Amino acid sequence: MRHIHLDDGLRLRFPGRSEDFDQGVEIGMIAVLMDQASPEFSRWIARSNLSQVQAIAKQMGYRIEEGSGDGDWVDVTFLHGSVKAKPKLKLVHSVG
């Protein structure tokens, strides 16, 4: 059983259900957000769902950017159409 990210600070879990069920809920939730044509949103998803999320996003006119994560999870930002991605900033230490 794992948590499914709905929104900031809001997660669901379904005790007694299989991993396939959890993945289906996760995909369904993301598909609903894309169907609402949200210009940009982010979700933590199971890394095992990433290839399916990428395929659905492409079909629905979204591109995705992978953010931080670990072995099981990845933070994904969904960008619709021509929305420009936020620049990725990196801290650089100066020498001297």
Side-chain angles (χ1 to χ4, degrees), residues 4-91:
I4 298 169
H5 177 211
L6 289 180
D7 204 358
D8 291 336
L10 181 59
R11 298 181 305 169
L12 286 178
R13 58 186 183 161
F14 298 95
R17 295 294 185 145
S18 70
E19 179 68 15
D20 290 342
F21 179 84
D22 291 344
Q23 287 179 345
V25 170
E26 192 171 71
I27 291 294
M29 198 178 66
I30 289 169
V32 166
L33 290 169
M34 285 190 264
D35 189 53
Q36 293 174 351
S38 300
E40 179 178 341
F41 63 95
S42 295
R43 288 293 177 270
W44 281 93
I45 65 166
R47 196 169 291 279
S48 58
N49 249 353
L50 190 56
S51 63
Q52 188 171 7
V53 165
Q54 290 168 329
I56 292 169
K58 183 177 179 182
Q59 289 294 317
M60 295 186 79
Y62 280 83
R63 64 184 190 283
I64 65 171
E65 292 183 354
E66 292 180 48
S68 60
D70 60 25
D72 297 327
W73 297 96
V74 63
D75 184 20
V76 177
T77 300
F78 298 82
L79 302 158
H80 188 258
S82 63
V83 173
K84 297 207 184 239
K86 295 176 186 173
K88 301 269 183 188
L89 303 178
K90 182 178 179 182
L91 180 62

